């Protein structure tokens, strides 16, 4: 699942491949921007902001959000794609590399001056050089909703998704239904920062320290299975800001009180 660490690695890979190059092919396969053409423009770089990717080209920003299934792949010119062409939503190529966006649900092209309209609402990002833990804790502590919902709200802190919320709350022993106002936000965010920074350079995300398949999580995706600490069956529920945005939650009723 693409979360802040996945987006960070994607941005780094795209930046290494494209930054400094001149666009030789630009193809957005979405109706709104189908006629856009930045051929001949310079790729200045690719930056992550929480779960958002900002590809800076000329005086424009190509913004993409991976959602659940999206991904960017990098190929050499002429190299065969490993996915069907009908899934491709964006192609940005230079003389040396070709970046191909597959199954990307959200793509926008805006002038660089409008960057704040895209991501200005986001809270502090623990993977950013400008990470502000005090501001993130202030926002999280002021949220009257449950901690699981508050932690997922990108306006409070950018980058944490459902897997991180479930795992961090387990590690801190916090029930996902606990009001965010009752949680030690600095401690929770401190753990979250250390964890997501450790995972940003790993191929396989892990919260247990074990990167073997099926061994990396304490509670996420483990409903009905025994808790790795106490043996109690992991529970599963749903929470959300409203019924249309509910997320599945996982927790141990003994370890999280």
């Amino acid at each position: 699942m693409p979360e802040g660490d996945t987006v960070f690695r994607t941005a780094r890979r795209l930046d290494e491949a494209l930054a400094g190059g001149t666009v030789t092919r630009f193809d957005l396969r979405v109706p709104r921007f189908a006629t856009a053409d930045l051929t001949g423009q310079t790729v200045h770089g690719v930056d992550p902001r929480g779960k958002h990717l900002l590809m800076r080209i000329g005086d424009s920003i190509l913004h993409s959000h991976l959602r659940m299934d999206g991904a960017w792949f990098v190929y050499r010119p002429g190299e065969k794609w490993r996915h069907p062409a009908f899934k491709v939503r964006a192609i940005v190529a230079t003389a040396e590399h070709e970046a191909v966006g597959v199954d990307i649900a959200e793509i926008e092209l805006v002038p660089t001056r409008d960057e704040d309209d895209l991501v200005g609402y986001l809270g502090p990002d623990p993977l950013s050089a400008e990470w502000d833990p005090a501001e993130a804790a202030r926002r999280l502590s002021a949220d009257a909703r449950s901690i699981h919902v508050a932690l997922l709200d990108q306006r409070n802190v950018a980058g944490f998704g459902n897997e991180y919320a479930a795992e961090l709350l387990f590690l801190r022993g916090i029930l996902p239904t606990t009001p965010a106002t009752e949680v030690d936000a600095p401690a929770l965010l401190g753990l979250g920062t250390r964890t997501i920074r450790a995972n940003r350079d790993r191929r396989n995300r892990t919260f247990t320290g074990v990167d073997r398949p099926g061994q990396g999580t304490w509670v996420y995706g483990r409903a009905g299975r025994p808790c790795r600490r106490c043996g109690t069956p992991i529970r599963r529920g749903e929470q959300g800001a409203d019924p249309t945005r509910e997320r599945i939650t996982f927790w141990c009723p003994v370890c999280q009180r």
Side-chain angles (χ1 to χ4, degrees), residues 148-211:
H148 188 92
V149 172
L151 195 57
L152 291 180
D153 192 329
Q154 302 297 293
R155 295 171 297 182
N156 291 331
V157 56
F160 294 133
N162 208 36
E163 185 174 356
Y164 268 94
E167 293 294 297
L168 294 178
L169 294 178
F170 172 83
L171 289 169
R172 288 291 301 167
I174 302 169
L175 278 172
T177 52
T178 304
T181 52
E182 299 178 9
V183 171
D184 184 343
L188 177 62
L189 291 172
L191 173 64
T193 301
R194 294 192 300 274
T195 304
I196 199 169
R197 288 182 178 179
N199 278 327
R200 71 183 175 188
D201 297 320
R202 291 185 175 124
R203 183 172 184 177
N204 298 315
R205 182 186 301 150
T206 180
F207 299 90
T208 62
V210 181
D211 63 1

Side-chain angles (χ1 to χ4, degrees), residues 45-155:
V46 184
D47 297 320
R49 284 292 305 276
K51 298 183 181 183
H52 301 255
L53 279 165
L54 306 178
M55 188 179 295
R56 305 180 187 281
I57 306 174
D59 295 326
S60 301
I61 291 177
L62 177 61
H63 165 251
S64 59
H65 195 297
L66 304 182
R67 298 296 178 188
M68 291 291 291
D69 302 312
W72 280 92
F73 298 88
V74 175
Y75 297 99
R76 291 287 184 179
E79 184 179 356
K80 185 178 180 180
W81 295 349
R82 298 187 298 273
H83 41 263
F86 72 85
K87 289 180 173 288
V88 174
R89 296 292 176 267
I91 303 169
V92 180
T94 64
E96 295 184 349
H97 294 96
E98 188 173 57
V100 181
V102 178
D103 282 334
I104 298 176
E106 184 177 335
I107 295 177
E108 295 178 274
L109 184 65
V110 302
T112 302
R113 64 176 180 272
D114 293 338
E115 177 178 342
D116 198 54
D117 294 338
L118 290 174
V119 294
Y121 71 94
L122 293 174
D125 180 352
L127 293 180
S128 168
E130 288 78 41
W131 167 237
D132 186 343
E135 174 60 17
R138 185 194 69 78
R139 296 189 185 199
L140 196 63
S141 298
D143 198 317
R145 297 170 297 175
S146 72
I147 185 58
H148 188 92
V149 172
L151 195 57
L152 291 180
D153 192 329
Q154 302 297 293
R155 295 171 297 182

